[in-house]
Amino acid sequence: MRVTFALAALAAAASAIPTELRERQDGQNSKPCPKKPLVTAEKLKEDITIKKLVKGAQQLEDFAYSYPARNRIMGGKAHEDTVNWLKKELESTSYYDVTLQPFSNYVMLNGTLNTFTIGGRAINSTIFEYSNSTAGLVTAPVVVVSNLGCAASDYPAAVAGSIVLISRGSCEFGLKSALAGGAGAVAAIIYNNAPGSISATLGPPPRPEGSYVATVSLLQAEGLALVAQIQGGANVTASLDVLTDVQVITTNNVLATSKCGDKSNQLWLGAHTDSVGAGPGINDDGSGTVGILNVAKSLAKYNVKNAVSFGFWSGEESGLLGSTYFVESLSPEAALKIRAYLNFDMIASPNYVHQIYDGDGSAYGLSGPAGSADIEAFFEGYFKDLNIPSNATEFNGRSDYGPFLDANIPAGGTTTGADEIKTVAEQAIWGGVAGEILDQNYHQAADNVTNLNQDAWLLHSRGIAAAVAHYATSWEGFPVRTPVGNGTAKRSVRTEVRKGVQGAKRSIKLL
Ligand SMILES: *[C@@H]1O[C@H](CO)[C@@H](O)[C@H](O)[C@H]1NC(C)=O
Ligand SMILES: *[C@@H]1O[C@H](CO)[C@@H](O)[C@H](O)[C@H]1NC(C)=O
Ligand SMILES: *[C@@H]1O[C@H](CO)[C@@H](O)[C@H](O)[C@H]1NC(C)=O
Ligand SMILES: *[C@@H]1O[C@H](CO)[C@@H](O)[C@H](O)[C@H]1NC(C)=O
Ligand SMILES: *[C@@H]1O[C@H](CO)[C@@H](O)[C@H](O)[C@H]1NC(C)=O
Ligand SMILES: *[C@@H]1O[C@H](CO)[C@@H](O)[C@H](O)[C@H]1NC(C)=O
Ligand SMILES: *[C@@H]1O[C@H](CO)[C@@H](O)[C@H](O)[C@H]1NC(C)=O
Ligand SMILES: [Zn+2]
């Protein structure tokens, strides 16, 4: 009786909703939903506690601190531990289909500047990401290139066997290093074109212009003084000993999709699993990783109408590699089944602000694909209901939502801030310290469990829960997806903004 009744009810529902019938016939929605109550925001939020969040963060920190590198850099052991742990945690719910999605890329696992002297004087410098090593200690004359070193013709014959001196500007650091390598230089010094030191990347090799040489930075004033000295006829010699460990590694995204729910109308959420080399990356992005993981685990107690998927991306810090790989691996049909993507990168910043991606473009003029404004409005409502002020943050694609925007998938999310300086107005609203960056430990060793803001973290994690409960139960009023091809103009503007500034997020500069 029961079975017959259920089938009859199913048939009736299917003829009323042809889309669902089609999915069932395709076998895309074949798994019966578990006999669990439909998720509600109240229950899901309640289930997220600071105790559970901190426990997860502690696990990630423990992974990092079990190895000498004390980080969770893509390709490192602690990152692999993170990936395997996430997979196990998700599998233990039996609620998701969990897969690892491998991809390969270059990574600089370690870089040490043993010696850098110019004219015998020790120099304070940084190594560019993906820099090559010198063959031990090299001592060679310093040769100044013409112009900004963006063309092969800027590198005179004297460059061969020498250390080249190049100004920052106009083209990518990586192009300069490759042209220097192509011209036979033994190393390259790139001096800044503005005050401050340079912390930047050459971008992953290879490049057609040549192999990267060992590449280090110099302050603007020192660079200009050196150029003047050499152009005045002085012979200047530099000594350099750079040791880097650049390897091609295979790394994994962790993908988990609820067995239950309509897979033609999926909600995706994501956070990145890798840290930079400087530290364990517990706010960036352990906070987002553990935040969405806890929501995933709690969701397993409930039923959903729409499938909910979680992407734990590798290689964000090296240029949004994992999320880009994932999005580019989607067929057009599969991409259209993603109704929205929610990104959480840094949601426990010590000097926090409560920010929502500016999906409607009202604050920064860069809107997202249709639906992005609805997501922004949803989170605005979340904070408003709690009487907690929030503000927009630029929707520039500088985290893992970027590739989703490029594929015309509506996106959104919240963040508590990275290396932006807190304004006096922001301090008046959220407290903290004006004039300091929002996460004082951004990309540093101190980005660990001790230095998270737990109140902000719990608030944003419960925001994730609220959004999941909302979109997992209904897409009513949310714009339907249209085939890619619409919105191209907006997309290219944003892509240019992102690529013009950097490869990855915020401070990783390409030029
Ligand atoms: C990085 O390389 C240096 C020089 O070989 C070495 O002393 C250091 O232990 C390495 N660090 C890590 C984390 O592997
Ligand atoms: C070298 O530069 C770093 C970063 O800019 C700075 O913290 C440090 O004090 C500098 N050291 C010297 C000896 O100038
Ligand atoms: C380092 O230089 C060697 C010799 O030119 C080259 O074969 C290698 O590809 C370079 N490595 C990187 C990471 O560019
Ligand atoms: C610099 O070196 C070149 C070539 O070795 C030499 O001809 C020139 O006299 C030197 N200039 C000075 C100022 O020492
Ligand atoms: C909120 O964001 C808007 C748009 O960027 C900005 O003009 C305003 O100053 C921000 N408010 C605060 C308090 O930071
Ligand atoms: C976390 O970073 C702080 C620096 O802010 C440091 O004092 C502390 O020892 C670190 N925690 C661990 C467990 O190493
Ligand atoms: C954009 O979407 C509309 C319907 O929303 C459709 O008529 C049009 O053909 C689409 N354009 C492209 C280039 O796909
Ligand atoms: Zn991040």
Side-chain angles (χ1 to χ4, degrees):
M1 276 295 281
R2 266 173 174 260
V3 173
T4 314
F5 174 77
L7 283 178
L10 183 67
S15 61
I17 310 163
T19 318
E20 280 190 12
L21 177 62
R22 259 204 317 278
E23 282 145 23
R24 282 173 198 281
Q25 283 169 344
D26 290 347
Q28 287 160 337
N29 198 14
S30 51
K31 295 266 163 58
C33 292
K35 287 207 173 75
K36 292 178 178 177
L38 186 64
V39 66
T40 68
E42 204 168 302
K43 285 182 196 148
L44 203 59
K45 282 189 292 186
E46 207 176 83
D47 207 46
I48 307 301
T49 64
I50 194 64
K51 201 173 157 203
K52 290 180 190 170
L53 294 174
V54 170
K55 190 169 173 229
Q58 191 60 55
Q59 179 62 74
L60 298 185
E61 184 184 284
D62 289 349
F63 289 145
Y65 288 174
S66 338
Y67 304 98
R70 290 170 73 81
N71 62 30
R72 295 185 302 117
I73 190 172
M74 170 184 72
K77 293 232 164 55
H79 182 254
E80 282 175 20
D81 291 347
T82 301
V83 164
N84 293 331
W85 174 71
L86 287 167
K87 182 166 179 279
K88 270 201 199 116
E89 288 279 300
L90 292 158
E91 280 171 349
S92 73
T93 65
S94 305
Y95 188 82
Y96 300 97
D97 289 318
V98 186
T99 55
L100 295 183
Q101 183 183 42
F103 64 94
S104 295
N105 215 278
Y106 281 86
V107 64
M108 183 169 94
L109 288 168
N110 188 11
T112 313
L113 182 53
N114 293 317
T115 308
F116 184 20
T117 63
I118 299 176
R121 193 168 56 88
I123 301 293
N124 199 0
S125 174
T126 53
I127 303 173
F128 285 83
E129 187 186 18
Y130 296 115
S131 164
N132 216 325
S133 298
T134 54
L137 181 68
V138 296
T139 298
V142 180
V143 171
V144 182
V145 303
S146 307
N147 307 312
L148 293 170
C150 292
S153 55
D154 291 338
Y155 294 73
V159 161
S162 78
I163 296 174
V164 283
L165 181 62
I166 314 166
S167 172
R168 179 182 191 174
S170 198
C171 65
E172 295 182 348
F173 297 117
L175 178 61
K176 298 181 189 207
S177 183
L179 288 170
V186 295
I189 303 168
I190 300 177
Y191 63 94
N192 210 344
N193 57 2
S197 59
I198 307 178
S199 169
T201 185
L202 302 178
R207 286 187 186 250
E209 297 82 9
S211 291
Y212 286 158
V213 290
T215 308
V216 296
S217 72
L218 195 62
L219 295 174
Q220 180 182 31
E222 294 183 14
L224 292 174
L226 191 54
V227 169
Q229 207 184 337
I230 294 168
Q231 286 177 346
N235 290 328
V236 179
T237 295
S239 290
L240 203 52
D241 181 356
V242 177
L243 185 60
T244 60
D245 184 1
V246 177
Q247 293 180 20
V248 178
I249 52 94
T250 297
T251 185
N252 289 284
N253 290 328
V254 186
L255 309 176
T257 295
S258 64
K259 292 173 181 168
C260 175
D262 178 1
K263 293 203 169 69
S264 290
N265 288 285
Q266 301 166 41
L267 172 68
W268 274 80
L269 296 94
H272 69 89
T273 54
D274 61 313
S275 74
V276 292
I282 302 302
N283 184 35
D284 184 10
D285 182 24
S287 61
T289 298
V290 173
I292 67 169
L293 174 67
N294 272 269
V295 172
K297 286 169 70 175
S298 295
L299 184 65
K301 298 176 190 167
Y302 302 104
N303 209 340
V304 290
K305 287 191 173 145
N306 300 314
V308 181
S309 299
F310 296 84
F312 296 86
W313 315 121
S314 180
E316 190 269 357
E317 299 288 6
S318 302
L320 316 181
L321 300 180
S323 52
T324 301
Y325 185 84
F326 169 76
V327 170
E328 290 181 353
S329 72
L330 292 170
S331 67
E333 298 74 36
L336 278 174
K337 292 177 180 169
I338 301 179
R339 293 295 297 270
Y341 171 72
L342 307 181
N343 193 68
F344 300 93
D345 191 357
M346 306 182 72
I347 55 170
S349 311
N351 196 24
Y352 68 85
V353 292
H354 299 312
Q355 290 182 332
I356 305 165
Y357 293 126
D358 185 28
D360 64 5
S362 63
Y364 294 92
L366 285 171
S367 62
S372 308
D374 301 61
I375 299 168
E376 184 184 7
F378 175 83
F379 284 115
E380 280 168 0
Y382 169 73
F383 287 107
K384 202 162 174 238
D385 286 350
L386 294 166
N387 255 319
I388 294 173
S390 66
N391 201 5
T393 186
E394 194 177 2
F395 204 41
N396 51 25
R398 284 178 206 164
S399 181
D400 289 309
Y401 63 93
F404 287 84
L405 297 184
D406 292 348
N408 219 25
I409 296 169
T414 65
T415 179
T416 53
D419 59 346
E420 309 85 358
I421 290 168
K422 184 168 257 183
T423 63
V424 172
E426 287 171 342
Q427 184 192 36
I429 295 172
W430 293 291
V433 190
E436 278 193 22
I437 64 173
L438 301 176
D439 180 354
Q440 296 99 328
N441 311 305
Y442 178 67
H443 285 185
Q444 297 191 33
D447 180 9
N448 65 18
V449 174
T450 316
N451 294 317
L452 299 175
N453 185 290
Q454 298 190 354
D455 295 338
W457 195 16
L458 183 60
L459 177 66
H460 284 249
S461 298
R462 287 186 168 160
I464 300 171
V468 165
H470 181 69
Y471 293 120
T473 48
S474 174
W475 289 112
E476 204 188 318
F478 198 89
V480 292
R481 294 289 315 284
T482 53
V484 181
N486 278 307
T488 306
K490 265 185 206 158
R491 220 162 55 233
S492 62
V493 168
R494 187 172 31 242
T495 305
E496 236 162 66
V497 168
R498 184 169 87 247
K499 292 196 173 143
V501 182
Q502 59 220 350
K505 183 185 54 184
R506 303 172 207 269
S507 77
I508 314 234
K509 300 198 170 53
L510 273 168
L511 59 90

